[in-house]
Amino acid sequence: MNIENTQSQMRKGILEFCILSIIRRGEAYPSDIVEEMKAANLQILEGTLYPLLTRLKNADMLTYRWVESTSGPPRKYFSLTEKGELFYKELEQTWNELSNGVNALTNKPNTSTNQ
């Protein structure tokens, strides 16, 4: 079994929730999302992020606005819609249930007699 594949699948499962968590705190520019994810030791490439943002926007979870930049082309800043906020709350509940369940299972002392 390939540990890198398993790790990648685990990260993909929480990626959307993490990105929405960042955007939920306030408008976010994609490169700022990448930097914040990296700072949390959750690596993401812009090539992965942009399609996800587009999919969330097309599902009416996100909206964006263009902001003129003094150092290049205009920047697209993303924010949650009302539908996105409701979706986030459902993801948050799911995460809390999963996290609590996993912690309950993985933090149990070993009671096996075959130690």
Side-chain angles (χ1 to χ4, degrees):
M1 193 156 185
N2 183 335
I3 187 64
E4 289 85 12
N5 185 49
T6 301
Q7 290 169 331
S8 175
Q9 291 303 314
M10 291 172 79
R11 285 185 183 103
K12 283 180 186 176
I14 60 168
L15 189 61
E16 194 169 289
F17 178 55
C18 292
I19 291 167
L20 289 173
S21 294
I22 293 168
I23 296 171
R24 185 173 189 250
R25 294 193 310 260
E27 283 187 321
Y29 182 62
S31 65
D32 295 333
I33 295 170
V34 170
E35 289 304 312
E36 191 162 346
M37 295 286 286
K38 285 181 183 176
N41 204 27
L42 295 168
Q43 303 299 321
I44 184 172
L45 301 173
E46 286 190 18
T48 302
L49 178 60
Y50 280 102
L52 179 57
L53 291 172
T54 299
R55 186 172 56 76
L56 289 167
K57 185 221 167 274
N58 290 343
D60 297 323
M61 303 293 172
L62 298 178
T63 189
Y64 65 85
R65 70 181 182 98
W66 290 100
V67 176
E68 291 297 324
S69 172
T70 57
S71 61
R75 294 179 167 200
K76 192 184 283 189
Y77 283 84
F78 289 88
S79 57
L80 284 182
T81 62
E82 188 174 322
K83 185 176 177 181
E85 180 69 32
L86 293 172
F87 183 68
Y88 175 85
K89 287 179 181 178
E90 289 177 17
L91 286 179
E92 183 178 43
Q93 181 179 346
T94 301
W95 169 255
N96 289 333
E97 290 169 0
L98 282 169
S99 178
N100 290 337
V102 169
N103 286 332
L105 290 172
T106 59
N107 293 325
K108 277 192 171 188
N110 188 350
T111 58
S112 171
T113 55
N114 299 330
Q115 293 182 23

